[in-house]
Amino acid sequence: MKGIVLLSHGSLARGLADAATFFMGDSIEQLEYCCLRQDSSPDEFAEELKRAIEKVDTGEGAVILADLFGGTPCNQAARLLDDRIDLISGMNFPVLLELLTARMAGEINVAALVESAVRGFRM
């Protein structure tokens, strides 16, 4: 099972992880988050991110959801990309729930997840 790491400026990632437990139960396996604090350097955040990936990756890789394309969390994650790690920016609650559901079904299709996220916006 692929691990999941949530990244954000401030505590958004922690809040989304907490909110996911409302739908998925109190113990969501292989889910970690990293919150960039104002007093953190990019290098400190990168180390925290590496530790989070190591915790959730049991051999199948990880999907990283970042809050903002071009921000420090996303940029630090982009440095770690390889054939087992996927990165999606623009993290939101519906995307996280869909990712968790897809993972439970055993089939994570990142391209389909992004496509679904775009279709999910309404006005």
Side-chain angles (χ1 to χ4, degrees):
M1 178 166 72
K2 277 195 169 214
I4 299 171
V5 180
L6 311 178
L7 308 179
S8 68
H9 296 82
S11 60
L12 176 64
R14 178 183 13 223
L16 288 176
D18 180 60
T21 65
F22 185 85
F23 291 91
M24 310 302 280
D26 286 334
S27 179
I28 302 174
E29 293 181 29
Q30 292 173 257
L31 175 67
E32 290 290 323
Y33 56 84
C34 298
C35 301
L36 179 65
R37 299 173 313 279
Q38 288 183 338
D39 63 346
S40 297
S41 73
D43 291 336
E44 290 170 332
F45 186 81
E47 289 304 315
E48 182 182 347
L49 173 55
K50 287 176 190 174
R51 287 190 301 272
I53 292 170
E54 288 171 3
K55 284 175 86 172
V56 301
D57 183 1
T58 58
E60 294 183 40
V63 177
I64 300 171
L65 299 181
D67 62 351
L68 179 67
F69 180 76
T72 298
C74 188
N75 290 345
Q76 291 301 322
R79 298 169 135 203
L80 303 175
L81 293 180
D82 61 27
D83 60 334
R84 296 173 347 114
I85 297 178
D86 295 299
L87 171 61
I88 301 171
S89 64
M91 169 179 67
N92 61 45
F93 193 47
V95 168
L96 174 57
L97 291 179
E98 188 162 344
L99 175 57
L100 289 166
T101 302
R103 185 176 75 166
M104 285 175 29
E107 180 100 17
I108 297 174
N109 181 326
V110 173
L113 183 64
V114 170
E115 198 173 295
S116 175
V118 171
R119 284 192 315 272
F121 283 99
R122 297 285 183 249
M123 189 167 134

